Amino acid sequence: MQGYLLLEGGAEFGGQMSEPDRRAIELAGGPASPISIIPTAAAPDNNHQRAGGNGVNWFKSLGATHVESLPLIDKASANDPAIVNAISQSRLIYMLGGFTGYLGETLKNSASWQAMLKAYSNGAVIAGSSAGAMVMCQHYFDPGKRRVVEGLGLLLNTCVLPHHNTFGKDWAQQLASLLPGVVLLGIDERTGMLDDGENGRKIGWRVYGRGEIALYRGGKTAVYHAGEHFNDAFLH
């Protein structure tokens, strides 16, 4: 049983982000299901404890009772057996935003990432906001190095433009040139896309939250709002 993917555009903990996150909790098995917050992207500026705590408080405010921020902050901890075990038992794994390149490099080829993939293959929800969503794709733009990097590959042929309604849209022209043929996913702040479904049947991607999802491909742009769906064919 394959799990679910939730990609969010940033400014995640508040307002209408309760909608996709409550749905993610439901898909994970309900409020008592174990949730792991991954604060890795906030570690370079020593903000991981505060950011992780915010994530824990947010999901508890939505009714979740078993939420933990894991101290996955570097390559060593990404291979720590206790952290790997916690991820393996999680039903919702949420990667916070922050330093995109650091998150991608820390997780790449790590035991923690392998545990996430195994959890996903067993039905868990893998979620990410901003940097967390970016590394889930086949490609991501590393703002620190101003270059495109190979991502973790949960979504093939894609690259996320986070915070699309503020600064992400400014990346579109450059990335369309650097990644011809790749679908660019512009995700507004306080907005998410989740490949959920009804009665156990996936119906593609549904948009949640306050803003829009813009899909750039082949020189054309399609825009989707909360409650609207698009299928996987739009990503290929």
Side-chain angles (χ1 to χ4, degrees):
M1 173 188 175
Q2 191 177 61
Y4 300 89
L5 302 176
L6 169 60
L7 289 78
E8 298 178 347
E12 57 269 27
F13 299 139
Q16 290 174 264
M17 294 315 294
S18 61
E19 298 168 9
D21 292 343
R22 280 199 174 99
R23 178 61 172 149
I25 292 170
E26 179 184 354
L27 292 170
S33 298
I35 299 174
S36 288
I37 306 295
I38 309 297
T40 314
D45 58 357
N46 202 34
N47 193 38
H48 53 282
Q49 290 183 325
R50 185 191 68 82
N54 288 342
V56 170
N57 291 337
W58 169 250
F59 278 97
K60 285 186 174 179
S61 79
L62 301 180
T65 59
H66 189 179
V67 191
E68 181 181 12
S69 179
L70 301 179
L72 199 172
I73 58 173
D74 53 23
K75 277 288 191 182
S77 52
N79 292 296
D80 183 297
I83 291 176
V84 172
N85 183 59
I87 290 172
S88 298
Q89 297 181 41
S90 299
R91 301 304 295 162
L92 169 56
I93 301 159
Y94 192 107
M95 294 181 283
L96 303 183
F99 291 80
T100 311
Y102 185 82
L103 173 61
E105 288 302 313
T106 301
L107 289 179
K108 188 176 182 179
N109 300 321
S110 71
S112 284
W113 178 243
Q114 292 305 312
M116 289 187 207
L117 291 177
K118 185 175 181 180
Y120 175 61
S121 70
N122 289 328
V125 181
I126 306 294
S129 178
S130 190
M134 293 168 73
V135 301
M136 291 165 67
C137 296
Q138 183 174 353
H139 311 277
Y140 66 85
F141 181 62
D142 184 346
K145 297 181 179 178
R146 304 296 299 176
R147 63 184 178 91
V148 173
V149 180
E150 181 182 356
L152 298 174
L154 277 175
L155 275 82
L156 298 178
N157 198 47
T158 55
C159 180
V160 162
L161 314 180
H163 304 272
H164 184 258
N165 56 313
T166 54
F167 63 81
K169 60 183 181 291
D170 298 331
W171 297 356
Q173 185 174 358
Q174 178 186 6
L175 290 183
S177 175
L178 291 172
L179 295 169
V182 170
V183 179
L184 306 181
L185 301 171
I187 309 177
D188 284 357
E189 294 177 356
R190 298 279 169 96
T191 307
M193 52 182 278
L194 176 61
D195 63 342
D196 58 354
E198 297 174 355
N199 301 319
R201 181 177 64 88
K202 289 194 179 185
I203 52 176
W205 296 86
R206 181 177 179 182
V207 180
Y208 289 84
R210 186 177 71 183
E212 303 173 346
I213 304 288
L215 270 59
Y216 300 85
R217 59 172 188 159
K220 298 181 179 180
T221 307
V223 176
Y224 299 89
H225 301 87
E228 295 183 331
H229 294 85
F230 58 92
N231 61 40
D232 282 322
F234 282 81
L235 303 185
H236 301 290

